[in-house]
Amino acid sequence: MDNSAYKEIYVFAEQRGGKIQGIALELLGKARDLATVTAQQVVAILAGYQVTDQANELIAFGADKVIVVDDAVLADYLTEPYTQALAGVIKQYKPSVILIGATTIGRDLGPRLSARVTTGLTADCTRLEIGEEGELLMTRPAFGGNLMATIVSKEHRPQMTTVRPGVMQKADRDDSRKGEVEILKVDFDTSKFRVKLIEQVKADKGLLDIADAKILVSGGRGVNSAENFEKLKQLAHVLGAEVSASRAMVDAGVISHERQVGQTGKTVRPDLYIACGISGAIQHLAGMEESGYIIAVNKDKYAPIFQVADLGIVGDVNKIIPLLADRLQKEISA
Amino acid sequence: MKIIVCAKQVPDTTEIKINPQTGTLIRDGVPSIMNPDDKGGLELALRLKEQFDAHVTIITMGPPQADAILREALALGVDRAILLTDRKFAGADTLATSNALAGALRNLEFDLIIAGRQAIDGDTAQVGPQIAELLDIPQVTYLEDLKYDGDKTLTIRRQTEEGYQVLETEIPCMVTVLASAYQARYMPVKGIVQAYDREVETWSFENISVDESKLGLKGSPTRVHKAFTKGVKGAGEQFEVDADEAVGIIISRLKQKFLI
């Protein structure tokens, strides 16, 4: 296979209901870093219906070029139409790299697409770098976060990977950036469209996504009860923070799965992470260790959470947290 | 209705520890289990068997000892169990794994293929969709619920970040299931005893119609360049003081770091 024909770094710009998703901007931020190293262009693929006017948004966040596939069959995400759209882009433009968000869309689309165009797909990378021969080094956790593996695609192009939301950082918006917008017409084979969307239901969350939170107050087994968890909510309220949890609290039904931090929950990197009664199983650490400043309160002084904490307090979380909330309340209102 | 469940034997990753001296994984004594999402998928298959008299086959690709999860499935009530095993499959990445499994599935009859969303040792969630593509059948991933009309139509609830989608498709189809969607049943004692008298078919390269160049390490587009355990971040400061003093320390650090 002649790999030199495959050029530029592509980003699948995920949108939902015509709204560009945060993950698309995070991937553009990372693609810019990679493109600088290899002197390549960053190209965004924008697939959807009546989305063409969103292309400028992608340019402002780092795309040099936006390829738009705008078609009524792409109005809502469905596997087959989107796979055909992306396969069409690959055939026409021959990307060297495609970055896709590890969302319920990207993790449905990515593997289908990889099998269609016969290339590798590395799942849920947490680090991307350029290797000595210009190849993409894709690093990801395996064995529940116990092991890191760096994956390469030597022969096959495009080099495809999904990236978890919250891991890469988006660039600052720059509306003065210039870029091209190109419209690609794809001939869809509608005879292959065998899945119909009946209904799209939004569960009422009413709260900020924990992946976007600047401060997280997070509870674990040591919090012990829903009643004590309320105290964490009070602290979060004082700090303008969101609450999250380790798997123990989710399994106990105290909090919903959307608020779970860790390997099977979400990856977060807030400026401040306060781990309350969380022992720090490796699966949990994998989801939060990149946080800016980590405070851990736990009664077991050998708890693994202290290995990643900037400030560790050995003590009773259910005494310390309410006291902290009270004292902070006074400090702030003073 | 003919159902095939694809399952994988995995190490129970919650039991894996890292040797702090050598930085390597301690795998000794870590139990092997049926992957949790696959177990959810198996439960869905068994419920369809009860409701619609479906015929259920389970298939796994892996080393000979992966036989254990097939015995478990037999004890739970599946009709047929196939172990796909061959040195030629070793070192396969997801696409090469999917090529082997799709090759075996082409030689079986099916209306519905059920897999788990992802396996806990790799968390890739790729093999289900890749098999569906190779077999040219539709896929629905992240399945939370499935209703079958007894004829051709499946109505499926699919989990998304914001809530869920309701999708409709017709058999033949591939679905990937969340462990939380179907609470797996317990093995009946009678089933366990009988499972050891029943046959597990062993299939090898000879039983599938796939070019050898698409299998195993040779057929894998991706390679592991290196593997390493994460260096542990140096622990910060630690205090063991009374609650009042602890709160004072926390507030002073938050101020120093301009976090409040």
Side-chain angles (χ1 to χ4, degrees):
Chain A
M1 189 177 213
D2 179 17
N3 286 343
S4 65
Y6 287 79
K7 289 196 182 75
E8 322 302 0
I9 296 173
Y10 283 60
V11 166
F12 171 63
E14 182 176 320
Q15 54 80 25
R16 296 182 183 206
K19 191 179 178 307
I20 305 274
Q21 299 293 295
I23 179 66
L25 308 181
E26 291 169 22
L27 295 180
L28 284 173
K30 187 67 210 177
R32 271 259 60 89
D33 295 346
L34 299 172
T36 307
V37 178
T38 53
Q40 295 188 83
Q41 283 204 321
V42 173
V43 183
I45 305 166
L46 178 57
Y49 182 47
Q50 296 175 336
V51 291
T52 309
D53 57 349
Q54 302 280 317
N56 289 331
E57 173 94 356
L58 298 169
I59 292 167
F61 279 96
D64 298 306
K65 182 158 131 181
V66 181
I67 295 165
V68 183
V69 188
D70 202 312
D71 197 299
V73 302
L74 302 172
D76 291 293
Y77 174 77
L78 285 169
T79 315
E80 184 59 30
Y82 273 73
T83 305
Q84 288 189 22
L86 273 279
V89 171
I90 292 170
K91 195 164 161 239
Q92 179 82 20
Y93 294 94
K94 298 191 172 17
S96 172
V97 169
I98 303 182
L99 309 181
I100 299 173
T103 62
T104 56
I105 288 178
R107 299 177 98 229
D108 184 79
L109 171 67
R112 186 92 196 190
L113 183 63
S114 79
R116 187 157 303 178
V117 303
T118 315
T119 192
L121 174 67
T122 304
D124 303 6
C125 282
T126 53
R127 196 161 70 193
L128 293 169
E129 296 151 293
I130 300 293
E132 283 171 13
E133 290 155 40
E135 78 279 25
L136 186 65
L137 302 178
M138 301 168 274
T139 301
R140 66 180 307 265
F143 289 103
N146 289 286
L147 189 72
M148 302 299 289
T150 302
I151 311 290
V152 293
S153 173
K154 279 247 183 313
E155 309 285 334
H156 292 72
R157 293 293 180 272
Q159 304 165 85
M160 296 206 324
T161 177
T162 58
V163 178
R164 288 186 76 154
V167 174
M168 304 298 172
Q169 275 167 327
K170 63 181 177 197
D172 291 332
R173 182 192 197 99
D174 178 0
D175 285 312
S176 68
R177 279 184 53 87
K178 296 271 176 284
E180 298 170 61
V181 178
E182 217 168 287
I183 310 288
L184 178 70
K185 195 92 190 95
V186 172
D187 286 324
F188 289 97
D189 176 1
T190 54
S191 72
K192 299 256 181 193
F193 295 176
R194 284 170 287 190
V195 179
K196 223 168 44 187
L197 177 66
I198 304 296
E199 195 183 1
Q200 189 116 259
V201 180
K202 279 197 179 167
D204 183 25
K205 283 210 268 179
L207 293 157
L208 185 74
D209 188 341
I210 57 166
D212 295 329
K214 293 282 173 224
I215 302 178
L216 281 174
V217 177
S218 204
R221 200 180 300 277
V223 173
N224 198 23
S225 68
E227 200 185 333
N228 286 333
F229 204 87
E230 286 302 313
K231 312 242 166 76
L232 268 55
K233 287 186 185 163
Q234 284 167 21
L235 175 62
H237 181 71
V238 175
L239 287 167
E242 291 291 323
V243 288
S244 57
S246 69
R247 188 171 152 187
M249 288 283 96
V250 177
D251 287 349
V254 172
I255 193 166
S256 72
H257 176 71
E258 279 127 49
R259 302 209 149 238
Q260 183 185 328
V261 171
Q263 182 77 10
T264 53
K266 287 187 174 161
T267 304
V268 298
R269 54 188 312 162
D271 297 335
L272 173 62
Y273 188 89
I274 306 180
C276 310
I278 293 175
S279 65
I282 192 130
Q283 285 84 356
H284 184 77
L285 301 185
M288 49 63 74
E289 65 192 340
E290 300 289 325
S291 303
Y293 191 76
I294 299 170
I295 298 177
V297 181
N298 201 298
K299 66 178 187 317
D300 172 12
K301 70 175 182 185
Y302 300 108
I305 190 77
F306 289 126
Q307 302 273 316
V308 301
D310 297 284
L311 174 61
I313 301 288
V314 182
D316 183 352
V317 68
N318 296 318
K319 269 192 204 144
I320 293 170
I321 295 304
L323 194 61
L324 179 62
D326 277 357
R327 196 86 71 77
L328 278 172
Q329 182 67 60
K330 282 180 198 136
E331 290 260 345
I332 289 165
S333 53
Chain B
M1 185 187 222
K2 286 197 170 2
I3 300 174
I4 303 178
V5 177
C6 301
K8 185 181 186 185
Q9 188 184 47
V10 294
D12 186 348
T13 54
T14 55
E15 301 284 324
I16 294 181
K17 301 260 172 344
I18 291 173
N19 179 330
Q21 268 82 46
T22 59
T24 51
L25 293 188
I26 305 170
R27 294 197 215 191
D28 290 350
V30 175
S32 289
I33 54 171
M34 189 188 303
N35 179 54
D37 280 348
D38 304 350
K39 216 165 168 175
L42 174 59
E43 178 62 30
L44 167 60
L46 294 171
R47 290 186 195 179
L48 290 168
K49 179 179 169 65
E50 284 159 356
Q51 220 182 331
F52 298 100
D53 199 24
H55 180 276
V56 180
T57 300
I58 187 164
I59 185 165
T60 191
M61 179 172 127
Q65 59 268 30
D67 169 83
I69 64 164
L70 300 179
R71 299 280 168 199
E72 185 182 342
L74 285 168
L76 288 169
V78 304
D79 300 291
R80 185 179 179 191
I82 300 171
L83 173 66
L84 185 61
T85 189
D86 200 304
R87 284 184 174 278
K88 290 195 169 86
F89 305 149
D93 71 357
T94 61
L95 192 60
T97 300
S98 300
N99 279 329
L101 280 165
L105 291 163
R106 273 189 206 103
N107 294 340
L108 293 164
E109 280 177 51
F110 59 82
D111 299 301
L112 178 63
I113 303 174
I114 303 176
R117 168 199 44 172
Q118 64 190 33
I120 57 171
D121 56 348
D123 288 320
T124 74
Q126 292 178 1
V127 170
Q130 287 175 339
I131 289 173
E133 171 65 17
L134 294 167
L135 296 175
D136 192 23
I137 56 173
Q139 75 191 46
V140 178
T141 55
Y142 290 89
L143 180 149
E144 286 184 328
D145 186 49
L146 178 144
K147 297 266 180 299
Y148 174 49
D149 73 349
D151 181 28
K152 284 213 160 330
T153 307
L154 301 171
T155 308
I156 299 168
R157 219 171 98 156
R158 175 179 187 269
Q159 187 189 65
T160 65
E161 284 84 353
E162 297 99 357
Y164 61 90
Q165 297 177 315
V166 180
L167 301 164
E168 203 177 272
T169 191
E170 290 192 347
I171 55 172
C173 167
M174 151 72 83
V175 295
T176 77
V177 176
L178 302 173
S180 57
Y182 295 97
Q183 180 70 48
R185 64 192 65 194
Y186 290 103
M187 282 187 278
V189 175
K190 202 173 114 200
I192 299 172
V193 176
Q194 285 171 351
Y196 283 87
D197 295 331
R198 291 180 56 192
E199 191 203 1
V200 166
E201 295 170 44
T202 302
W203 285 25
S204 68
F205 173 72
E206 310 300 327
N207 299 78
I208 65 171
S209 338
V210 178
D211 194 279
E212 209 183 319
S213 67
K214 292 184 173 173
L215 300 170
L217 190 63
K218 227 188 301 174
S220 299
T222 63
R223 287 288 143 82
V224 177
H225 178 68
K226 63 173 177 181
F228 55 98
T229 49
K230 276 188 285 190
V232 185
K233 174 185 160 184
E237 36 181 5
Q238 195 181 56
F239 298 92
E240 196 168 353
V241 291
D242 68 37
D244 198 53
E245 201 179 327
V247 167
I249 294 167
I250 294 173
I251 292 175
S252 79
R253 294 300 181 278
L254 291 177
K255 283 184 177 164
Q256 274 170 24
K257 301 282 171 192
F258 302 104
L259 292 165
I260 52 169

